[in-house]
Amino acid sequence: AVIEEAMLLGACRKYSSWFEGRAAEPIQSLRYFDPLIVEIQQKPLPPGYSLYLREKIKQFAALWGETVKSGAQARGEEGDRPIFRETIQ
């Protein structure tokens, strides 16, 4: 469960960073999740939080797909990228 939760949390944080214009590179290695595994081992996620993360990933994926599609259509013109302000803890 810890590894799965780390992967969910990591995916949410990565999407969040993309929407905020930071860290554009994709996750390239499972090592990305090492600090998240430690974090969750030290402070377990509250009950039901992994379900919340799953739903956020679905929302992020849909929004990212729209962003990529609109960016391709507009050839990267300013203002095509949605602004995302929520931070995943």
Side-chain angles (χ1 to χ4, degrees):
V2 171
I3 293 172
E4 180 181 5
E5 290 174 345
M7 293 179 83
L8 291 169
L9 186 60
C12 280
R13 286 181 179 174
K14 180 53 76 171
Y15 270 124
S16 180
S17 74
W18 287 345
F19 284 117
E20 293 170 357
R22 300 179 288 117
E25 69 278 348
I27 296 170
Q28 298 179 14
S29 167
L30 291 175
R31 291 217 177 267
Y32 174 85
F33 301 100
D34 285 348
L36 297 171
I37 290 169
V38 171
E39 179 181 332
I40 292 169
Q41 286 173 331
Q42 291 174 348
K43 184 179 178 190
L45 298 179
Y49 197 71
S50 60
L51 294 174
Y52 166 78
L53 292 174
R54 285 180 192 283
E55 289 304 312
K56 289 307 291 184
I57 289 170
K58 289 177 189 176
Q59 293 171 6
F60 285 154
L63 186 57
W64 187 254
E66 292 172 17
T67 301
V68 170
K69 182 179 176 183
S70 101
Q73 291 173 348
R75 299 283 184 224
E77 292 178 7
E78 196 66 32
D80 292 327
R81 191 169 165 176
I83 298 173
F84 183 77
R85 301 268 184 230
E86 184 175 348
T87 302
I88 302 297
Q89 298 289 331

Coordinates of all heavy atoms in Angstrom, one line a residue:
A1 N 0.8 -1.2 0.0 CA 0.0 0.0 0.0 C 0.9 1.3 0.0 O 0.5 2.2 -0.6 CB -0.9 0.0 1.2
V2 N 2.0 1.2 0.7 CA 2.8 2.4 0.8 C 3.4 2.8 -0.6 O 3.4 4.0 -1.0 CB 4.0 2.2 1.8 CG1 5.0 3.3 1.7 CG2 3.5 2.1 3.2
I3 N 3.8 1.8 -1.4 CA 4.4 2.1 -2.7 C 3.3 2.6 -3.6 O 3.5 3.6 -4.3 CB 5.0 0.8 -3.3 CG1 6.3 0.5 -2.5 CG2 5.4 1.0 -4.8 CD1 6.9 -0.9 -2.8
E4 N 2.1 2.0 -3.6 CA 1.0 2.5 -4.4 C 0.7 4.0 -4.0 O 0.5 4.8 -4.9 CB -0.2 1.7 -4.2 CG -1.4 2.1 -5.0 CD -2.6 1.2 -4.8 OE1 -2.6 0.3 -3.9 OE2 -3.6 1.4 -5.5
E5 N 0.6 4.3 -2.7 CA 0.3 5.6 -2.3 C 1.4 6.6 -2.7 O 1.1 7.7 -3.1 CB 0.1 5.6 -0.8 CG -1.2 5.0 -0.3 CD -1.3 4.9 1.2 OE1 -0.3 5.1 1.9 OE2 -2.4 4.6 1.7
A6 N 2.6 6.2 -2.6 CA 3.7 7.0 -3.1 C 3.6 7.3 -4.6 O 3.9 8.5 -5.0 CB 5.1 6.3 -2.8
M7 N 3.2 6.3 -5.4 CA 3.1 6.6 -6.8 C 1.9 7.5 -7.1 O 2.0 8.4 -8.0 CB 2.9 5.2 -7.5 CG 4.2 4.4 -7.4 SD 4.0 2.8 -8.2 CE 4.3 3.3 -9.9
L8 N 0.8 7.4 -6.4 CA -0.3 8.3 -6.5 C 0.1 9.7 -6.1 O -0.2 10.7 -6.9 CB -1.5 7.8 -5.7 CG -2.2 6.5 -6.1 CD1 -3.2 6.0 -5.0 CD2 -2.9 6.7 -7.4
L9 N 0.7 9.8 -5.0 CA 1.1 11.2 -4.5 C 2.1 11.8 -5.5 O 2.0 13.0 -5.8 CB 1.7 11.0 -3.1 CG 2.1 12.3 -2.4 CD1 0.8 13.2 -2.2 CD2 2.7 12.0 -1.0
G10 N 3.1 11.0 -6.0 CA 4.1 11.5 -6.9 C 3.4 11.9 -8.2 O 3.8 13.0 -8.8
A11 N 2.5 11.2 -8.7 CA 1.8 11.5 -10.0 C 1.1 12.9 -9.8 O 1.1 13.7 -10.7 CB 0.9 10.4 -10.4
C12 N 0.4 13.0 -8.7 CA -0.4 14.2 -8.4 C 0.6 15.4 -8.3 O 0.3 16.5 -8.9 CB -1.2 14.1 -7.2 SG -2.7 13.2 -7.4
R13 N 1.7 15.2 -7.6 CA 2.6 16.3 -7.5 C 3.3 16.7 -8.8 O 3.6 17.9 -9.1 CB 3.7 16.0 -6.5 CG 3.2 16.0 -5.0 CD 4.2 15.7 -4.0 NE 3.7 15.8 -2.7 CZ 4.4 15.4 -1.6 NH1 5.6 15.0 -1.7 NH2 3.8 15.5 -0.4
K14 N 3.6 15.7 -9.6 CA 4.2 15.9 -11.0 C 3.2 16.7 -11.8 O 3.6 17.7 -12.5 CB 4.6 14.6 -11.6 CG 5.2 14.8 -13.0 CD 6.4 15.8 -13.0 CE 7.6 15.2 -12.4 NZ 8.8 16.1 -12.7
Y15 N 1.9 16.3 -11.9 CA 0.9 17.1 -12.7 C 0.9 18.5 -12.1 O 0.8 19.4 -12.9 CB -0.5 16.4 -12.6 CG -0.8 15.4 -13.6 CD1 -1.1 14.1 -13.3 CD2 -0.8 15.7 -15.0 CE1 -1.5 13.2 -14.2 CE2 -1.1 14.8 -15.9 CZ -1.4 13.5 -15.6 OH -1.8 12.6 -16.5
S16 N 0.8 18.7 -10.8 CA 0.7 20.0 -10.2 C 1.9 20.8 -10.7 O 1.7 22.0 -11.0 CB 0.7 19.9 -8.7 OG 0.6 21.1 -8.1
S17 N 3.1 20.3 -10.7 CA 4.3 21.1 -11.1 C 4.2 21.5 -12.5 O 4.6 22.6 -12.9 CB 5.6 20.3 -10.8 OG 5.8 19.2 -11.7
W18 N 3.7 20.6 -13.4 CA 3.5 20.9 -14.8 C 2.5 22.1 -15.0 O 2.8 23.0 -15.7 CB 3.0 19.7 -15.6 CG 4.0 18.6 -15.8 CD1 5.4 18.7 -15.6 CD2 3.7 17.3 -16.2 NE1 5.9 17.5 -15.9 CE2 5.0 16.6 -16.3 CE3 2.6 16.6 -16.5 CZ2 5.1 15.3 -16.7 CZ3 2.7 15.3 -16.9 CH2 3.9 14.6 -17.0
F19 N 1.4 22.0 -14.3 CA 0.5 23.1 -14.4 C 1.0 24.4 -13.8 O 0.5 25.5 -14.3 CB -0.9 22.7 -13.7 CG -1.7 21.8 -14.5 CD1 -2.0 20.5 -14.0 CD2 -2.2 22.1 -15.7 CE1 -2.7 19.6 -14.7 CE2 -2.9 21.2 -16.5 CZ -3.2 19.9 -15.9
E20 N 1.9 24.4 -12.9 CA 2.5 25.6 -12.3 C 3.7 26.0 -13.2 O 4.4 27.0 -12.8 CB 2.9 25.3 -10.9 CG 1.7 25.1 -10.0 CD 2.1 24.6 -8.6 OE1 3.3 24.4 -8.3 OE2 1.2 24.5 -7.8
G21 N 4.0 25.3 -14.2 CA 5.1 25.7 -15.1 C 6.5 25.3 -14.6 O 7.5 25.9 -15.0
R22 N 6.6 24.4 -13.6 CA 7.8 23.9 -13.1 C 8.1 22.5 -13.5 O 7.2 21.8 -13.9 CB 7.8 24.0 -11.5 CG 7.5 25.3 -10.9 CD 7.5 25.3 -9.4 NE 6.3 24.6 -8.9 CZ 6.2 23.5 -8.3 NH1 7.3 22.8 -7.9 NH2 5.1 22.9 -7.9
A23 N 9.3 22.1 -13.5 CA 9.7 20.7 -13.7 C 9.0 20.0 -14.8 O 8.2 19.1 -14.6 CB 9.6 19.9 -12.4
A24 N 9.2 20.4 -16.0 CA 8.5 20.0 -17.2 C 8.9 18.5 -17.6 O 8.1 17.9 -18.3 CB 8.7 20.9 -18.4
E25 N 10.0 18.0 -17.1 CA 10.4 16.7 -17.5 C 9.5 15.6 -16.8 O 9.0 15.8 -15.7 CB 11.9 16.4 -17.1 CG 12.1 16.3 -15.6 CD 12.3 17.6 -14.9 OE1 12.4 18.7 -15.6 OE2 12.3 17.6 -13.7
P26 N 9.2 14.5 -17.5 CA 8.4 13.5 -17.0 C 9.2 12.7 -15.9 O 10.4 12.8 -15.8 CB 8.1 12.6 -18.2 CG 9.2 12.8 -19.1 CD 9.7 14.2 -18.9
I27 N 8.5 11.9 -15.2 CA 9.1 11.0 -14.2 C 9.8 9.9 -15.0 O 9.3 9.3 -15.9 CB 8.0 10.3 -13.3 CG1 7.3 11.3 -12.5 CG2 8.7 9.2 -12.5 CD1 6.1 10.8 -11.7
Q28 N 11.1 9.8 -14.8 CA 12.0 8.9 -15.6 C 12.4 7.7 -14.9 O 13.0 6.8 -15.6 CB 13.2 9.7 -16.1 CG 12.8 10.9 -17.0 CD 13.9 11.7 -17.5 OE1 15.1 11.2 -17.4 NE2 13.7 12.8 -18.1
S29 N 12.2 7.6 -13.6 CA 12.8 6.5 -12.9 C 11.9 6.2 -11.6 O 11.3 7.2 -11.1 CB 14.2 6.8 -12.5 OG 14.6 5.9 -11.5
L30 N 11.9 5.0 -11.2 CA 11.2 4.7 -10.0 C 11.9 5.3 -8.8 O 11.2 5.5 -7.7 CB 11.1 3.2 -9.8 CG 10.2 2.4 -10.7 CD1 10.3 0.9 -10.5 CD2 8.8 2.9 -10.6
R31 N 13.1 5.8 -8.9 CA 13.8 6.5 -7.8 C 13.1 7.8 -7.5 O 13.3 8.3 -6.4 CB 15.2 6.7 -8.2 CG 16.1 5.5 -8.3 CD 17.5 5.8 -7.8 NE 18.3 4.6 -7.8 CZ 18.4 3.8 -6.7 NH1 17.8 4.0 -5.6 NH2 19.1 2.7 -6.8
Y32 N 12.3 8.3 -8.4 CA 11.6 9.5 -8.1 C 10.7 9.3 -6.9 O 10.4 10.2 -6.1 CB 10.7 9.9 -9.3 CG 9.7 11.0 -9.1 CD1 10.1 12.3 -9.3 CD2 8.4 10.8 -8.8 CE1 9.3 13.4 -9.1 CE2 7.5 11.8 -8.6 CZ 8.0 13.1 -8.8 OH 7.1 14.2 -8.6
F33 N 10.2 8.1 -6.7 CA 9.3 7.8 -5.6 C 9.9 7.4 -4.3 O 9.3 7.4 -3.3 CB 8.4 6.6 -6.0 CG 7.6 7.0 -7.3 CD1 8.0 6.5 -8.5 CD2 6.4 7.8 -7.2 CE1 7.3 6.8 -9.7 CE2 5.7 8.1 -8.3 CZ 6.1 7.6 -9.6
D34 N 11.3 7.2 -4.3 CA 12.0 6.9 -3.0 C 11.7 7.8 -1.9 O 11.3 7.4 -0.8 CB 13.5 6.8 -3.2 CG 13.9 5.5 -4.0 OD1 13.0 4.6 -4.1 OD2 15.0 5.4 -4.4
P35 N 11.8 9.2 -2.1 CA 11.6 10.1 -0.9 C 10.1 10.1 -0.5 O 9.8 10.3 0.6 CB 12.0 11.4 -1.4 CG 12.4 11.3 -2.8 CD 12.4 9.9 -3.2
L36 N 9.2 9.8 -1.5 CA 7.8 9.8 -1.1 C 7.4 8.5 -0.3 O 6.6 8.6 0.6 CB 6.9 9.8 -2.4 CG 7.1 11.0 -3.3 CD1 6.4 10.9 -4.6 CD2 6.6 12.2 -2.5
I37 N 8.1 7.4 -0.6 CA 7.9 6.2 0.2 C 8.3 6.5 1.6 O 7.6 6.2 2.6 CB 8.7 5.0 -0.4 CG1 8.1 4.6 -1.7 CG2 8.7 3.8 0.6 CD1 8.9 3.6 -2.6
V38 N 9.5 7.1 1.8 CA 10.0 7.4 3.2 C 9.0 8.4 3.8 O 8.6 8.2 5.0 CB 11.4 8.1 3.1 CG1 11.8 8.6 4.5 CG2 12.4 7.0 2.6
E39 N 8.5 9.4 3.1 CA 7.6 10.4 3.6 C 6.3 9.7 4.2 O 5.8 10.0 5.3 CB 7.2 11.4 2.6 CG 6.2 12.4 3.0 CD 5.9 13.4 1.8 OE1 6.7 13.6 0.9 OE2 4.8 13.9 1.9
I40 N 5.8 8.8 3.4 CA 4.5 8.1 3.7 C 4.8 7.1 4.9 O 3.9 6.9 5.7 CB 3.9 7.4 2.5 CG1 3.4 8.5 1.5 CG2 2.8 6.5 2.9 CD1 3.0 8.0 0.2
Q41 N 6.0 6.5 4.9 CA 6.3 5.6 6.0 C 6.4 6.4 7.3 O 5.9 5.9 8.4 CB 7.6 4.9 5.8 CG 7.5 3.8 4.7 CD 8.8 3.2 4.4 OE1 9.9 3.8 4.4 NE2 8.8 1.9 4.0
Q42 N 6.9 7.6 7.3 CA 7.0 8.4 8.5 C 5.7 9.1 8.9 O 5.4 9.2 10.1 CB 8.1 9.5 8.2 CG 9.5 9.0 8.1 CD 10.5 10.0 7.8 OE1 10.2 11.1 7.4 NE2 11.8 9.6 7.9
K43 N 4.9 9.4 7.9 CA 3.6 10.0 8.2 C 2.6 9.4 7.2 O 2.4 10.0 6.1 CB 3.7 11.5 8.0 CG 2.4 12.3 8.3 CD 2.6 13.8 8.2 CE 1.2 14.4 8.5 NZ 1.3 15.8 8.1
P44 N 1.9 8.4 7.6 CA 1.0 7.7 6.7 C -0.2 8.6 6.3 O -0.6 9.5 7.0 CB 0.4 6.6 7.6 CG 1.5 6.3 8.6 CD 2.1 7.6 8.9
L45 N -0.6 8.4 5.1 CA -1.8 9.2 4.5 C -3.0 8.8 5.3 O -3.2 7.7 5.8 CB -2.0 8.8 3.1 CG -0.9 9.1 2.1 CD1 -1.3 8.7 0.7 CD2 -0.5 10.6 2.1
P46 N -3.9 9.8 5.5 CA -5.1 9.6 6.2 C -6.0 8.6 5.4 O -5.9 8.5 4.2 CB -5.8 10.9 6.3 CG -4.9 11.9 5.6 CD -3.7 11.2 5.1
P47 N -6.9 7.9 6.2 CA -7.8 7.0 5.5 C -8.6 7.7 4.4 O -9.1 8.8 4.6 CB -8.8 6.5 6.6 CG -8.0 6.7 7.9 CD -7.1 7.9 7.6
G48 N -8.7 7.0 3.2 CA -9.4 7.6 2.1 C -8.7 8.5 1.2 O -9.1 8.9 0.1
Y49 N -7.5 9.0 1.6 CA -6.7 9.9 0.9 C -6.3 9.4 -0.5 O -6.2 10.1 -1.5 CB -5.5 10.5 1.7 CG -5.0 11.8 1.1 CD1 -5.7 12.9 1.2 CD2 -3.8 11.8 0.5 CE1 -5.2 14.1 0.7 CE2 -3.2 13.0 0.0 CZ -4.0 14.1 0.1 OH -3.5 15.3 -0.4
S50 N -5.9 8.1 -0.5 CA -5.5 7.5 -1.8 C -6.7 7.5 -2.8 O -6.4 7.7 -4.0 CB -5.0 6.1 -1.6 OG -5.9 5.2 -1.1
L51 N -7.9 7.4 -2.4 CA -9.0 7.5 -3.3 C -9.1 9.0 -3.8 O -9.4 9.2 -5.0 CB -10.3 7.1 -2.6 CG -10.5 5.7 -2.2 CD1 -11.7 5.5 -1.4 CD2 -10.4 4.8 -3.4
Y52 N -8.9 9.9 -2.9 CA -8.9 11.3 -3.4 C -7.8 11.5 -4.4 O -8.0 12.2 -5.5 CB -8.6 12.2 -2.2 CG -8.2 13.6 -2.5 CD1 -9.2 14.6 -2.9 CD2 -6.9 14.1 -2.5 CE1 -8.9 15.9 -3.3 CE2 -6.6 15.3 -2.8 CZ -7.5 16.2 -3.2 OH -7.2 17.5 -3.5
L53 N -6.6 11.0 -4.2 CA -5.5 11.1 -5.1 C -5.8 10.5 -6.5 O -5.5 11.1 -7.5 CB -4.2 10.5 -4.6 CG -3.6 11.2 -3.4 CD1 -2.4 10.4 -2.8 CD2 -3.2 12.7 -3.7
R54 N -6.5 9.4 -6.5 CA -6.9 8.7 -7.7 C -7.8 9.6 -8.5 O -7.7 9.8 -9.7 CB -7.6 7.4 -7.5 CG -6.7 6.3 -7.0 CD -7.6 5.0 -6.8 NE -6.8 4.0 -6.2 CZ -5.9 3.2 -6.8 NH1 -5.7 3.4 -8.0 NH2 -5.2 2.3 -6.1
E55 N -8.8 10.3 -7.8 CA -9.7 11.2 -8.5 C -8.9 12.4 -9.1 O -9.2 12.9 -10.2 CB -10.8 11.6 -7.6 CG -11.8 10.5 -7.3 CD -12.4 9.8 -8.6 OE1 -12.9 10.6 -9.5 OE2 -12.4 8.6 -8.7
K56 N -8.0 12.9 -8.3 CA -7.2 14.1 -8.7 C -6.4 13.7 -10.0 O -6.3 14.5 -10.9 CB -6.3 14.6 -7.6 CG -7.0 15.3 -6.5 CD -7.9 16.4 -6.9 CE -7.2 17.6 -7.4 NZ -8.2 18.7 -7.8
I57 N -5.9 12.5 -10.0 CA -5.1 12.1 -11.2 C -6.0 12.1 -12.4 O -5.6 12.5 -13.5 CB -4.4 10.8 -10.9 CG1 -3.3 10.9 -9.9 CG2 -3.9 10.2 -12.2 CD1 -2.7 9.6 -9.4
K58 N -7.2 11.6 -12.3 CA -8.1 11.5 -13.4 C -8.4 13.0 -13.9 O -8.4 13.2 -15.1 CB -9.4 10.9 -13.0 CG -9.3 9.4 -12.8 CD -10.7 8.8 -12.4 CE -10.5 7.3 -12.0 NZ -11.8 6.8 -11.4
Q59 N -8.7 13.9 -12.9 CA -8.9 15.3 -13.3 C -7.7 15.9 -14.0 O -7.9 16.6 -15.0 CB -9.3 16.1 -12.0 CG -10.6 15.7 -11.4 CD -10.8 16.4 -10.1 OE1 -10.0 17.2 -9.6 NE2 -11.9 16.0 -9.4
F60 N -6.5 15.7 -13.4 CA -5.3 16.2 -13.9 C -5.1 15.7 -15.4 O -4.7 16.5 -16.2 CB -4.1 15.9 -13.1 CG -4.0 16.7 -11.8 CD1 -3.3 16.2 -10.7 CD2 -4.5 18.0 -11.7 CE1 -3.2 16.9 -9.6 CE2 -4.4 18.7 -10.5 CZ -3.7 18.2 -9.4
A61 N -5.3 14.4 -15.5 CA -5.0 13.8 -16.8 C -6.0 14.4 -17.9 O -5.5 14.7 -19.0 CB -5.2 12.3 -16.8
A62 N -7.2 14.6 -17.5 CA -8.2 15.2 -18.5 C -7.8 16.6 -18.8 O -7.8 17.0 -20.0 CB -9.6 15.1 -17.9
L63 N -7.4 17.4 -17.8 CA -7.0 18.8 -18.0 C -5.8 18.9 -18.8 O -5.6 19.7 -19.6 CB -6.9 19.5 -16.6 CG -6.7 21.0 -16.6 CD1 -7.7 21.7 -17.4 CD2 -6.6 21.5 -15.2
W64 N -4.8 18.0 -18.5 CA -3.5 18.0 -19.2 C -3.8 17.7 -20.7 O -3.2 18.3 -21.6 CB -2.5 17.0 -18.6 CG -1.2 17.1 -19.2 CD1 -0.6 16.3 -20.1 CD2 -0.3 18.2 -19.0 NE1 0.6 16.7 -20.4 CE2 0.9 17.9 -19.8 CE3 -0.3 19.4 -18.3 CZ2 2.0 18.8 -19.8 CZ3 0.8 20.2 -18.3 CH2 1.9 19.9 -19.1
G65 N -4.7 16.7 -20.9 CA -5.0 16.4 -22.3 C -5.6 17.6 -23.1 O -5.2 17.8 -24.2
E66 N -6.5 18.3 -22.4 CA -7.0 19.5 -23.0 C -6.0 20.6 -23.2 O -6.0 21.3 -24.2 CB -8.1 20.1 -22.1 CG -9.4 19.2 -22.0 CD -10.3 19.7 -20.9 OE1 -10.2 20.9 -20.5 OE2 -11.2 19.0 -20.5
T67 N -5.1 20.7 -22.3 CA -4.0 21.7 -22.4 C -3.1 21.4 -23.6 O -2.7 22.3 -24.4 CB -3.1 21.7 -21.1 OG1 -4.0 22.0 -20.0 CG2 -2.0 22.7 -21.2
V68 N -2.7 20.1 -23.7 CA -1.8 19.7 -24.8 C -2.5 19.9 -26.1 O -2.0 20.4 -27.1 CB -1.4 18.2 -24.6 CG1 -0.7 17.7 -25.8 CG2 -0.5 18.1 -23.4
K69 N -3.8 19.6 -26.2 CA -4.6 19.7 -27.4 C -4.7 21.2 -27.8 O -4.5 21.5 -28.9 CB -6.0 19.1 -27.2 CG -6.8 19.1 -28.5 CD -8.2 18.5 -28.2 CE -9.1 18.6 -29.4 NZ -10.4 18.1 -29.2
S70 N -5.1 22.0 -26.8 CA -5.2 23.4 -27.1 C -3.9 24.1 -27.5 O -3.8 24.9 -28.3 CB -5.9 24.2 -26.0 OG -5.1 24.9 -25.2
G71 N -2.8 23.6 -26.8 CA -1.5 24.2 -27.1 C -1.0 23.8 -28.5 O -0.4 24.6 -29.2
A72 N -1.4 22.6 -28.9 CA -1.0 22.2 -30.3 C -1.8 22.9 -31.3 O -1.2 23.3 -32.4 CB -1.2 20.7 -30.4
Q73 N -3.0 23.2 -31.0 CA -3.9 23.9 -32.0 C -3.4 25.4 -32.1 O -3.4 26.0 -33.2 CB -5.3 23.9 -31.6 CG -6.0 22.5 -31.7 CD -7.4 22.5 -31.1 OE1 -7.8 23.3 -30.4 NE2 -8.0 21.4 -31.4
A74 N -3.0 26.0 -31.0 CA -2.6 27.4 -31.0 C -1.1 27.6 -31.2 O -0.6 28.7 -31.2 CB -3.1 28.0 -29.7
R75 N -0.4 26.5 -31.3 CA 1.1 26.6 -31.5 C 1.8 27.3 -30.4 O 2.7 28.1 -30.6 CB 1.4 27.3 -32.8 CG 0.9 26.6 -34.0 CD 1.8 25.4 -34.3 NE 1.3 24.8 -35.6 CZ 1.2 23.5 -35.7 NH1 1.5 22.6 -34.7 NH2 0.8 23.0 -36.9
G76 N 1.3 27.0 -29.1 CA 1.9 27.5 -27.9 C 1.7 29.0 -27.6 O 2.5 29.5 -26.9
E77 N 0.7 29.6 -28.2 CA 0.5 31.0 -27.9 C 0.2 31.2 -26.4 O -0.4 30.3 -25.8 CB -0.7 31.6 -28.7 CG -0.3 31.6 -30.2 CD -1.5 32.1 -31.0 OE1 -2.5 32.6 -30.4 OE2 -1.4 32.1 -32.2
E78 N 0.6 32.3 -25.9 CA 0.4 32.6 -24.5 C -1.1 32.6 -24.1 O -1.9 33.0 -24.9 CB 1.0 34.0 -24.1 CG 1.1 34.3 -22.7 CD 2.2 33.4 -22.0 OE1 3.1 33.0 -22.7 OE2 2.0 33.1 -20.8
G79 N -1.4 32.1 -23.0 CA -2.8 32.1 -22.5 C -3.6 30.8 -22.8 O -4.7 30.7 -22.4
D80 N -2.9 29.9 -23.5 CA -3.6 28.6 -23.8 C -3.5 27.7 -22.7 O -4.3 26.7 -22.6 CB -3.0 28.0 -25.1 CG -3.3 28.8 -26.3 OD1 -4.4 29.4 -26.3 OD2 -2.5 28.8 -27.2
R81 N -2.6 27.9 -21.8 CA -2.3 26.9 -20.7 C -3.1 27.3 -19.5 O -3.0 28.4 -19.0 CB -0.8 26.9 -20.4 CG -0.4 25.9 -19.5 CD 1.1 25.9 -19.6 NE 1.6 25.1 -18.5 CZ 2.8 24.9 -18.2 NH1 3.7 25.4 -19.0 NH2 3.2 24.2 -17.2
P82 N -3.9 26.4 -19.0 CA -4.7 26.8 -17.8 C -3.8 27.0 -16.6 O -2.8 26.4 -16.4 CB -5.6 25.6 -17.6 CG -5.0 24.5 -18.3 CD -4.2 25.1 -19.4
I83 N -4.2 27.9 -15.7 CA -3.5 28.2 -14.5 C -4.0 27.3 -13.4 O -5.2 27.3 -13.2 CB -3.6 29.7 -14.1 CG1 -3.0 30.5 -15.2 CG2 -2.9 29.9 -12.8 CD1 -3.2 32.0 -15.0
F84 N -3.2 26.6 -12.7 CA -3.6 25.7 -11.7 C -2.9 26.2 -10.4 O -1.7 26.3 -10.3 CB -3.1 24.3 -12.0 CG -3.6 23.3 -11.0 CD1 -4.9 22.9 -11.1 CD2 -2.7 22.8 -10.1 CE1 -5.3 22.0 -10.1 CE2 -3.2 21.9 -9.1 CZ -4.5 21.5 -9.2
R85 N -3.8 26.4 -9.4 CA -3.3 26.9 -8.2 C -3.2 26.0 -7.0 O -2.7 26.3 -5.9 CB -4.1 28.2 -7.8 CG -4.1 29.2 -8.8 CD -3.0 30.2 -8.5 NE -3.0 31.3 -9.5 CZ -2.0 31.7 -10.2 NH1 -0.9 31.2 -10.0 NH2 -2.2 32.7 -11.0
E86 N -3.9 24.8 -7.1 CA -4.0 23.9 -5.9 C -2.6 23.2 -5.8 O -2.0 22.7 -6.7 CB -5.1 22.9 -6.2 CG -5.3 22.0 -5.0 CD -6.5 21.1 -5.2 OE1 -7.2 21.3 -6.1 OE2 -6.6 20.1 -4.4
T87 N -2.2 23.0 -4.6 CA -1.0 22.3 -4.2 C -1.3 21.0 -3.5 O -2.1 21.0 -2.6 CB 0.0 23.1 -3.4 OG1 0.3 24.3 -4.0 CG2 1.2 22.4 -3.0
I88 N -0.8 19.9 -4.0 CA -1.0 18.6 -3.4 C 0.1 18.4 -2.3 O 1.2 18.6 -2.5 CB -0.9 17.5 -4.4 CG1 -1.9 17.7 -5.5 CG2 -1.1 16.1 -3.7 CD1 -3.3 17.6 -5.1
Q89 N -0.4 18.2 -1.1 CA 0.5 18.0 0.1 C 0.9 16.5 0.2 O 0.2 15.7 0.0 CB -0.2 18.4 1.3 CG -0.5 19.9 1.3 CD 0.7 20.8 1.4 OE1 1.7 20.4 2.0 NE2 0.6 22.0 0.8

